[in-house]
């Protein structure tokens, strides 16, 4: 942020009325897209980075997909049967499924892909605990035998964010802690490695061998019909450049225009601004529980006391309060287990946080905040945190780099003097963080969990209690206890909830709804 807009505003004022000076031959076959950030990591199982998940929907497909009502629908699967009182599930693949290299999709590809996913994803890990064995029945059919019934199996396989993407067996055999680097899936678009330039451009071409379902598309379910032969992602960390490009017709779609440029885009007769995911996103601060000082719960609680959400939301989303709201719960507003604010766990004041820090045993350890300079939704969050932590008396280093470096570094579990970190910030879909099974924020999985590695056997026990509760009342009780525990022990600090207005040229039609910028259904008007 922090960019002088005067030159941009003058240039854009001309763009509001001017037509493109040159014929754009690329328009007939290509859609140009400005993503939220650079695509530095390609494996959507290895990382939870949203931009990589979005890329995954181009290249890969899933056995099941969640529709707009969050109900799992068959996708690659033709159908399924539940046998032996829920202890055996039989899946049958649709006929004619192929990978981008021409090879048929086999049951063993699905089995191996799901097993890799169960090592990384929190919902997948719950599935992994109850898997007994697999059996290939024929070239399109396979069985999954469970140790105990798992009623939410289809919800897990088709979850709307970081689902069990299916890849060839040889890739799915890669250790889950290592990245797959060759992108071959069976999705509607093929990744073009020869035109991939991290930090500049990503190119996808329509996969002619893809056979879409016949149902209308709905979030990650239904017919994923690719109309554009080619889609180009153009990485533009400079928001002024991105704004000029879409207003001049050089780009078709800008995923996340920052708040300070929304009024400018709203004045253009050629651009539509739309909230495609009404449930919104939650901004969060994630602390490293393995290393000092945040291996001390009292230090974490002092930080939570100082985190005023209004400052974070105004810094990252601007002063338009219709676009954001306060949400001090780790269950986002609008999700099943949000039950209001936890009044006794709300932020208090800098003075009270300073006193709490002094009483916590904090010994002046350096706090390293890894923070992106090229991500307008996230960068300001880290800057606000650096400011408040200095005010309460912490020794702070704001380590600012590109987002790709943040993604890589947050996996380092060492101390800060060995390349580790203390705090990072990110955002995630409210719909994806709305249950104990799907939320990374409340799980206490320690070394097997998400970056930050909160260790809480009690949190895991509450997750199991929720998963196997006999009724809705039991689920509500377990989820509310879990949400409070995670907030009380500061597994994660919530920083506010907001909605995004994506921006696209009015020559683009068929904009899909959901928590990802899906490439299907889009056409040139």
């Amino acid at each position: 942020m922090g960019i002088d807009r005067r030159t941009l505003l003058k240039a854009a004022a001309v763009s509001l009325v001017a037509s493109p000076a040159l014929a754009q031959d690329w328009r007939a076959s290509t859609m140009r897209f400005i993503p939220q950030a650079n695509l530095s990591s390609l494996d959507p199982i290895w990382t939870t980075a949203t931009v990589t998940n979005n890329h995954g929907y181009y290249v890969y497909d899933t056995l099941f997909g969640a529709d707009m009502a969050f109900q799992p629908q068959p996708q690659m699967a033709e159908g399924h049967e539940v046998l032996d009182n829920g202890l055996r599930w039989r899946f049958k693949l649709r006929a004619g499924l192929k990978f981008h290299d021409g090879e048929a999709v086999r049951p063993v590809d699905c089995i191996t892909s799901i097993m890799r996913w169960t090592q990384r994803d929190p919902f997948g890990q719950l599935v992994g605990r109850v898997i007994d064995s697999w059996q290939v029945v024929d070239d399109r059919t396979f069985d999954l035998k469970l140790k105990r019934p798992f009623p939410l199996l289809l919800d897990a396989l088709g979850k709307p964010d970081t689902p069990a993407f299916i890849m060839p067996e040889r890739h799915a055999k890669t250790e889950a802690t290592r990245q797959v680097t060759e992108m071959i899936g069976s999705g509607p678009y093929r990744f073009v490695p020869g035109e991939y330039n991290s930090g500049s451009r990503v190119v996808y071409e329509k996969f002619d061998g893809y056979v879409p379902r016949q149902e209308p598309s709905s979030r990650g379910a239904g017919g994923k019909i690719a109309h554009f032969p080619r889609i180009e992602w153009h990485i533009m960390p400079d928001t002024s450049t991105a704004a000029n490009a879409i207003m001049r017709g050089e780009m078709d779609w800008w995923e996340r225009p920052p708040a300070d440029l929304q009024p400018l885009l709203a004045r253009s007769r050629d651009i539509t601004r739309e909230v495609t995911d009404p449930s919104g996103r939650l901004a969060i601060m994630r602390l490293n529980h393995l290393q000092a000082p945040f291996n001390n719960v009292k230090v974490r609680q002092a930080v939570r006391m100082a985190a005023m959400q209004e400052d974070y939301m105004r810094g990252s989303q601007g002063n338009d309060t219709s676009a954001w709201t306060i949400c001090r719960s780790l269950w986002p507003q609008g999700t099943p287990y949000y039950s209001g604010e936890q009044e006794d766990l709300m932020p208090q004041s800098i003075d009270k946080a300073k006193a709490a820090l002094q009483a916590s045993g904090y010994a002046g350890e350096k706090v390293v905040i890894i923070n992106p300079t090229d991500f307008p939704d996230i960068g300001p969050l880290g800057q606000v945190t650096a400011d408040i932590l200095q005010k309460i008396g912490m020794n702070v280093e704001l380590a600012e780099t590109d987002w790709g470096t943040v993604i890589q570094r947050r996996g380092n579990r060492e101390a800060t003097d060995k390349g580790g970190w203390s705090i990072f910030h990110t955002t995630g879909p409210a719909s994806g963080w709305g249950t104990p099974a799907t939320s990374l924020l409340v799980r206490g999985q320690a070394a097997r969990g998400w970056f930050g590695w909160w260790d809480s056997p009690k949190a895991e026990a509450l997750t199991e209690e929720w998963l196997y509760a006999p009724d809705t009342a039991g689920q509500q009780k377990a989820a509310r206890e879990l949400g409070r525990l995670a907030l009380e022990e500061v597994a994660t600090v919530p920083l506010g909830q907001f909605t995004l207005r994506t921006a696209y040229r009015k020559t683009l039609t068929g904009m899909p709804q959901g928590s990802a910028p899906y490439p299907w259904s889009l056409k040139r008007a």
Side-chain angles (χ1 to χ4, degrees):
M1 308 288 277
I3 299 172
D4 183 359
R5 304 297 183 199
R6 292 183 180 179
T7 302
L8 171 64
L9 291 170
K10 291 177 182 178
V14 177
S15 300
L16 290 173
V17 296
S19 59
L22 298 174
Q24 304 292 334
D25 293 337
W26 55 269
R27 290 174 179 271
S29 62
T30 303
M31 193 269 283
R32 289 181 173 175
F33 173 73
I34 306 170
Q36 59 182 264
N38 180 36
L39 180 66
S40 58
S41 300
L42 300 176
D43 184 348
I45 303 301
W46 178 81
T47 181
T48 57
T50 303
V51 67
T52 307
N53 179 70
N54 297 345
H55 149 82
Y57 274 112
Y58 280 65
V59 177
Y60 299 105
D61 211 346
T62 55
L63 283 179
F64 291 82
D67 62 17
M68 287 303 293
F70 298 104
Q71 295 301 307
Q73 304 295 341
Q75 191 58 34
M76 296 173 72
E78 181 178 281
H80 74 283
E81 297 178 79
V82 183
L83 308 168
D84 300 339
N85 296 317
L87 292 176
R88 184 160 58 98
W89 292 66
R90 173 162 292 181
F91 301 99
K92 186 171 184 177
L93 296 172
R94 289 193 288 134
L97 298 181
K98 293 182 180 179
F99 287 115
H100 300 157
D101 60 2
E103 293 295 320
V105 177
R106 306 165 300 161
V108 69
D109 300 309
C110 300
I111 292 169
T112 315
S113 296
I114 293 169
M115 289 303 295
R116 184 170 188 259
W117 169 77
T118 63
Q119 297 176 55
R120 298 290 286 183
D121 184 82
F123 207 164
Q125 289 171 342
L126 293 172
V127 174
R129 292 178 190 174
V130 299
I131 290 176
D132 181 71
S133 61
W134 299 86
Q135 182 179 0
V136 174
V137 177
D138 58 38
D139 59 359
R140 288 174 51 201
T141 310
F142 59 99
D143 285 358
L144 167 58
K145 185 178 179 182
L146 302 176
K147 298 173 184 176
R148 65 180 295 182
F150 197 94
L152 296 179
L153 181 62
L154 301 187
D155 300 80
L157 296 176
K159 61 196 290 279
D161 296 281
T162 60
F165 289 119
I166 303 301
M167 55 186 65
E169 178 193 17
R170 66 184 185 278
H171 293 168
K173 283 184 173 180
T174 304
E175 291 181 19
T177 55
R178 292 176 47 231
Q179 292 193 64
V180 171
T181 55
E182 184 184 15
M183 295 292 102
I184 294 178
S186 63
Y189 280 93
R190 181 177 65 85
F191 178 75
V192 183
E195 297 193 61
Y196 170 60
N197 185 355
S198 180
S200 177
R201 189 169 73 162
V202 188
V203 175
Y204 305 90
E205 291 180 348
K206 179 179 177 180
F207 176 44
D208 291 331
Y210 184 74
V211 181
R213 296 190 67 90
Q214 297 303 304
E215 302 92 340
S217 65
S218 178
R219 200 182 292 271
K224 300 178 179 180
I225 299 175
H227 293 289
F228 283 103
R230 178 181 171 95
I231 296 180
E232 298 174 358
W233 286 17
H234 290 262
I235 316 303
M236 294 186 180
D238 184 288
T239 54
S240 302
T241 301
N244 273 320
I246 193 169
M247 295 179 77
R248 290 173 178 163
E250 297 164 0
M251 295 288 144
D252 292 302
W253 183 8
W254 188 4
E255 183 185 359
R256 291 193 190 180
D260 60 343
L261 289 176
Q262 289 285 351
L264 179 68
L265 297 174
R267 294 199 295 271
S268 173
R269 295 188 299 268
D270 300 319
I271 292 174
T272 296
R273 297 158 58 247
E274 183 179 354
V275 176
T276 56
D277 183 16
S279 60
R281 299 181 71 81
L282 194 68
I284 60 110
M285 178 200 307
R286 188 71 170 179
L287 312 175
N288 186 341
H289 295 246
L290 293 181
Q291 302 290 344
F294 297 126
N295 55 359
N296 180 341
V297 66
K298 293 186 179 300
V299 176
R300 301 198 301 269
Q301 289 169 343
V303 172
R304 186 196 64 217
M305 291 172 64
M308 307 299 174
Q309 291 196 359
E310 293 88 344
D311 296 337
Y312 286 96
M313 289 292 94
R314 292 187 189 278
S316 62
Q317 302 303 319
N319 293 322
D320 180 4
T321 56
S322 69
W324 55 265
T325 188
I326 300 306
C327 180
R328 298 184 179 94
S329 168
L330 287 174
W331 300 127
Q333 292 187 30
T335 59
Y337 304 115
Y338 176 79
S339 58
E341 304 296 294
Q342 303 283 339
E343 297 292 338
D344 60 323
L345 299 178
M346 290 171 63
Q348 298 181 30
S349 69
I350 292 295
D351 288 342
K352 288 184 178 180
K354 182 184 295 186
L357 182 67
Q358 290 172 348
S360 70
Y362 173 64
E365 299 96 338
K366 181 183 286 188
V367 173
V368 176
I369 303 170
I370 54 175
N371 200 52
T373 57
D374 56 351
F375 210 140
D377 284 336
I378 297 176
L381 304 176
Q383 293 165 359
V384 172
T385 293
D387 180 59
I388 66 168
L389 295 193
Q390 288 169 346
K391 287 178 178 177
I392 68 173
M394 300 196 90
N395 175 15
V396 178
E397 177 187 334
L398 183 62
E400 296 198 297
T401 61
D402 61 89
W403 179 236
T405 301
V406 173
I407 289 173
Q408 295 287 337
R409 187 171 177 180
R410 69 183 182 177
N412 189 329
R413 304 187 190 198
E414 298 289 341
T416 56
D417 60 357
K418 296 182 180 179
W421 56 277
S422 308
I423 292 175
F424 76 88
H425 302 76
T426 192
T427 72
S431 58
W433 286 348
T435 74
T438 57
S439 179
L440 302 158
L441 311 182
V442 299
R443 298 289 300 279
Q445 299 162 284
R448 296 193 68 220
W450 196 45
F451 312 107
W453 307 289
W454 180 44
D455 184 1
S456 174
K458 184 176 179 181
E460 289 304 281
L462 285 167
T463 300
E464 292 270 346
E465 182 181 329
W466 171 86
L467 185 64
Y468 297 108
D471 52 33
T472 301
Q475 289 183 320
Q476 289 278 355
K477 177 179 177 294
R480 288 175 180 172
E481 284 186 31
L482 175 59
R484 181 174 177 84
L485 174 68
L487 196 58
E488 195 169 47
E489 295 195 5
V490 201
T492 308
V493 181
L495 302 177
Q497 189 169 341
F498 62 98
T499 54
L500 292 166
R501 288 190 182 274
T502 197
Y504 56 93
R505 301 285 297 183
K506 290 184 178 178
T507 52
L508 203 61
T509 65
M511 181 60 60
Q513 304 292 296
S515 53
Y518 306 116
W520 43 84
S521 304
L522 293 164
K523 295 180 181 179
R524 184 80 62 197

